[in-house]
Amino acid sequence: MLKYTLRRLLGMIPMLLLISIVVFFLALAMPGDPFSGEIDPNNTDPEYIEEMREKLGYNDPIHVQYYDWITGFVQGDFGKSVKYKIPVSDLVAQRLPNTLFLGIMSLVITYCFAFAMGMTAGRRPYTKLDHFIGGFNYMMLAIPSYIAGVFAIYFFSFQLGWFPFNGSVNIAVDEGTLDWWLSKVYHTFLPALVLGAMGTASYTQFLRNDIIDNSNKDFVRTARAKGTPESRIYNHHILRNSVIPLITFLGFDLVSLVNGALITETIFTYPGLGQLFLTSVQASDYPTLMTLTLMFSFIVLIGNLIADILYGIVDPRIRID
Amino acid sequence: MEVVPNKDPQLKTTKPPKSMSPWAMARRKFMKNKLAMISLVYLIILAILSFLAPYITTVDISRVNIGQMKLPPSSEHWFGTDTSGRDVFVRLLYGGRVSLFVGISCTMIILLLGVIVGAIAGFFGGIVDSMLMRFTDFVLNFPFLVFVIVLNAILFGKVGGVGVLIGVISLLGWGGVARLVRSKILSEKENEYVLAATSIGGRPNKVIMKHLLPNVLTTVIVQATILFANMIVAESALSYLGFGVPQEVPSWGNMLSASQQPEVLQDMPWIWVPPAVILVFTILAINFIGEGVKDAFNPKSFR
């Protein structure tokens, strides 16, 4: 297992380098100077600009520029945002907690709903309730998350007035207090629900099918024969076995959270990394754009890595290759 | 594990003339599937209406009409008009044109790229396989939406609008198909008929095209339906965010992006509900067709 994990980890390094090179060249290909955040926009004196360009290393050969950028990146120096005029690392530090909070909350919601629905449906297969849950999940899988988001805002925020439709927290509340956290949860609930909807559907169907599979196995018959209560059989014996394959989804969740965060954060005007990314594309804010692109790529890479490793843990056959 | 359907054309001649080919059997099974057939009819009608839109209506969709802004649905404007005074129903038809076209083109290109890479990697194995698969892993490791947006931002303005989107989506999307086709080919090429075809001197491209691909075709067709739905979602999501097809071209995603203005979202549901509903129905229909096809080709299912 250790060997397998190490091999996967080492295989990641060339991938990281390649992706960083691709991101670098993409930034070079973009119209305008990729690192122009440092130049004072009010000073249009050509001599000053030329001097700054020289100082910032624009006239260096490309491989030197790449080396400067990537060594800076590894040390946490992401450059300075063109739009916000502050270091990108500060900007990311501001937004990252929000995105993390949204992601974690959406995972929690996903797990709660998926377990409740999956266990209910799996215990009563082919009944009306099961078909209802199945149909509901089919709908959730078919509805794109941004349409779900738009409808959620329309019904829950505008028609019913239950949830706010923008922001991540009530600004009037002091940071760190209990009220502040409650307000954060309150603001994040609807986006998290929408972000987790698709995951919930696939988790539920997977859990249901696995519970049905397992309920025909010998260990369940043994448990029944010795008089174990039905609820204990399902909640204990079967569930424990059905949860194991489910953990491999965790890596893919990370990947879908990256894609989902872009859309969900925009719909709910939630100040996270996804929204920052889109505004930086619109504003041609290259330092921010490059940092975020690279960060998202790393998250996806790590997500795939986690999925691979978890697969190896669950299914030992995969380790040999 | 998929059971390999026996669709050896030679068998047909030795059997009594009435027995059906696997394709005919699959077709009959599919025709019996009501949900899939309704979905298919819906899609065909939608496609015909969309592609004939310029002949059905004579309304100019690009003209901004200040006198008829934000009108609720009436007999003159079936679904009302949007914030620029354009008829929502007509735009819906034209939008379907763009959305379906982008969906179909992306699916086609992705299938082509994915099948070629997957088939070559799976058939030749060895170093060719590991090189191609490393490259596939590399493509798969890009966060899809993020890179489509970045590439679109770079290419936008330099080359034509919708074409850029199709190209970028296809370029980043073929990894999954390649992996799938490769794994199918890997298991398929162990069969004796492949050995026979190779040993009588069949060139690799002939063996792949004539013998291997027809046997993985069912998987590819099912994958195509999933892809088609996903591509329509991708296009509309990107357009919704403002990074898809150009703003002035009506597509379902572009129409939906009007809902980003709170007053449209709150008070003018006729502007954004029709594209949302038709999009969801289309995706559902494609999913149902996909399920139907999968079921029809599965020799184990008798429904």
Side-chain angles (χ1 to χ4, degrees):
Chain A
M1 190 62 225
L2 186 70
K3 207 176 140 197
Y4 171 78
T5 313
L6 276 179
R7 204 166 58 213
R8 290 280 152 188
L9 274 173
L10 286 178
M12 218 176 95
I13 294 170
M15 218 52 119
L16 279 176
L17 275 176
L18 274 176
I19 287 179
S20 71
I21 290 172
V22 169
V23 171
F24 180 75
F25 277 102
L26 283 181
L28 281 185
M30 286 206 159
D33 280 334
F35 311 103
S36 45
E38 309 278 346
I39 295 176
D40 181 5
N42 298 322
N43 192 344
T44 48
D45 178 22
E47 229 166 78
Y48 161 77
I49 291 176
E50 203 43 52
E51 189 186 320
M52 280 308 276
R53 284 175 67 92
E54 182 64 43
K55 205 175 123 197
L56 292 168
Y58 286 131
N59 300 335
D60 293 345
I62 283 180
H63 63 271
V64 177
Q65 285 189 34
Y66 170 75
Y67 180 77
D68 288 345
W69 173 66
I70 198 71
T71 42
F73 191 90
V74 173
Q75 291 162 6
D77 172 20
F78 305 146
K80 202 167 163 189
S81 163
V82 178
K83 190 172 176 223
Y84 298 94
K85 305 290 172 215
I86 53 170
V88 178
S89 48
D90 292 358
L91 209 55
V92 170
Q94 274 174 21
R95 303 294 190 98
L96 188 64
N98 284 336
T99 298
L100 277 182
F101 192 73
L102 176 67
I104 290 169
M105 203 154 145
S106 111
L107 275 184
V108 170
I109 291 175
T110 303
Y111 279 111
C112 289
F113 277 93
F115 270 83
M117 288 198 295
M119 282 163 70
T120 319
R123 198 164 164 177
R124 304 169 188 79
Y126 311 112
T127 57
K128 266 192 190 135
L129 191 63
D130 177 35
H131 287 308
F132 173 73
I133 291 178
F136 178 67
N137 282 324
Y138 210 86
M139 282 300 286
M140 284 219 285
L141 279 176
I143 298 178
S145 62
Y146 69 98
I147 290 184
V150 169
F151 274 106
I153 292 179
Y154 184 70
F155 284 116
F156 293 120
S157 299
F158 287 156
Q159 299 295 321
L160 297 169
W162 288 355
F163 293 101
F165 60 89
N166 62 2
S168 71
V169 73
N170 187 349
I171 323 161
V173 186
D174 285 335
E175 191 175 330
T177 57
L178 182 67
D179 275 354
W180 185 76
W181 282 104
L182 283 178
S183 154
K184 228 171 146 61
V185 170
Y186 178 60
H187 276 78
T188 316
F189 185 78
L190 209 53
L193 190 71
V194 170
L195 186 56
M198 212 166 251
T200 310
S202 45
Y203 268 96
T204 307
Q205 283 319 91
F206 192 88
L207 195 62
R208 169 195 174 267
N209 295 342
D210 213 67
I211 287 177
I212 295 172
D213 273 358
N214 275 334
S215 62
N216 296 323
K217 287 200 176 142
D218 285 345
F219 71 88
V220 176
R221 202 177 339 164
T222 312
R224 281 219 178 89
K226 67 178 187 182
T228 316
E230 199 71 0
S231 63
R232 197 177 155 76
I233 293 179
Y234 272 99
N235 298 340
H236 215 83
H237 297 235
I238 294 181
L239 190 65
R240 280 192 178 180
N241 282 291
S242 296
V243 165
I244 296 170
L246 219 58
I247 60 161
T248 54
F249 283 18
L250 197 68
F252 297 119
D253 278 341
L254 263 178
V255 178
S256 57
L257 282 182
V258 168
N259 279 332
L262 280 185
I263 296 171
T264 318
E265 286 178 3
T266 310
I267 302 169
F268 290 93
T269 44
Y270 186 88
L273 290 181
Q275 206 209 16
L276 182 66
F277 173 78
L278 288 183
T279 45
S280 73
V281 177
Q282 276 154 352
S284 307
D285 187 351
Y286 296 116
T288 318
L289 183 63
M290 283 169 81
T291 311
L292 288 179
T293 313
L294 208 52
M295 272 180 72
F296 288 143
S297 310
F298 286 177
I299 295 173
V300 170
L301 206 61
I302 289 166
N304 288 339
L305 182 80
I306 292 175
D308 271 355
I309 291 174
L310 288 179
Y311 264 128
I313 293 174
V314 172
D315 186 350
R317 283 173 301 179
I318 290 177
R319 282 181 236 163
I320 313 153
D321 102 54
Chain B
M1 280 295 116
E2 179 133 330
V3 173
V4 182
N6 55 331
K7 31 182 181 340
D8 193 344
Q10 300 297 311
L11 276 178
K12 218 165 57 181
T13 52
T14 55
K15 274 184 181 172
K18 271 202 169 174
S19 81
M20 287 187 296
S21 76
W23 288 97
M25 261 155 68
R27 194 166 59 230
R28 212 178 63 168
K29 222 165 169 186
F30 185 83
M31 301 275 260
K32 274 192 196 154
N33 188 339
K34 274 194 204 115
L35 206 53
M37 281 311 282
I38 294 172
S39 306
L40 191 63
V41 171
Y42 164 81
L43 259 194
I44 290 174
I45 292 175
L46 190 72
I48 291 175
L49 278 180
S50 302
F51 284 100
L52 293 182
Y55 308 100
I56 296 172
T57 65
T58 49
V59 187
D60 183 9
I61 45 151
S62 53
R63 220 182 83 222
V64 174
N65 193 337
I66 297 169
Q68 295 189 318
M69 267 165 27
K70 305 174 186 176
L71 292 179
S74 61
S75 58
E76 195 191 346
H77 300 288
W78 288 1
F79 290 158
T81 58
D82 67 4
T83 47
S84 308
R86 296 169 295 196
D87 188 285
V88 173
F89 180 72
V90 177
R91 269 173 72 82
L92 208 56
L93 291 183
Y94 276 90
R97 216 170 131 94
V98 174
S99 294
L100 291 177
F101 175 71
V102 171
I104 290 174
S105 332
C106 289
T107 310
M108 290 297 179
I109 301 175
I110 287 178
L111 279 186
L112 195 71
L113 287 175
V115 168
I116 290 175
V117 172
I120 291 176
F123 183 77
F124 289 105
I127 188 147
V128 179
D129 180 31
S130 42
M131 297 268 285
L132 281 176
M133 279 303 114
R134 283 298 84 77
F135 186 59
T136 311
D137 282 346
F138 176 59
V139 173
L140 276 173
N141 266 326
F142 288 118
F144 181 73
L145 273 182
V146 172
F147 272 82
V148 171
I149 290 173
V150 170
L151 276 175
N152 240 356
I154 293 174
L155 296 173
F156 196 72
K158 289 180 188 162
V159 224
V162 181
V164 174
L165 186 70
I166 295 172
V168 168
I169 291 182
S170 317
L171 212 62
L172 287 169
W174 54 270
V177 181
R179 254 192 194 175
L180 186 79
V181 171
R182 171 186 172 263
S183 71
K184 282 278 155 194
I185 295 265
L186 270 185
S187 62
E188 193 66 31
K189 75 166 180 185
E190 297 303 322
N191 289 324
E192 272 87 6
Y193 71 87
V194 181
L195 186 66
T198 319
S199 58
I200 59 168
R203 284 198 310 279
N205 63 337
K206 194 101 180 170
V207 178
I208 292 175
M209 295 286 281
K210 226 176 147 122
H211 301 282
L212 279 171
L213 280 188
N215 283 306
V216 298
L217 200 59
T218 54
T219 321
V220 173
I221 291 173
V222 173
Q223 191 64 21
T225 60
I226 299 171
L227 261 179
F228 186 36
N230 282 348
M231 288 307 118
I232 289 180
V233 173
E235 181 277 323
S236 58
L238 284 165
S239 301
Y240 175 84
L241 293 175
F243 295 98
V245 295
Q247 279 294 314
E248 65 276 6
V249 180
S251 87
W252 292 336
N254 271 349
M255 293 176 72
L256 264 162
S257 66
S259 69
Q260 283 175 346
Q261 301 157 328
E263 75 268 16
V264 173
L265 184 59
Q266 193 163 14
D267 303 324
M268 290 166 255
W270 64 84
I271 294 179
W272 58 269
V273 169
V277 168
I278 212 156
L279 199 59
V280 171
F281 276 177
T282 308
I283 290 156
L284 271 178
I286 296 171
N287 285 354
F288 284 139
I289 293 172
E291 297 268 312
V293 173
K294 201 160 129 191
D295 211 46
F297 280 125
N298 185 358
K300 275 187 185 165
S301 87
F302 296 100
R303 276 214 314 206

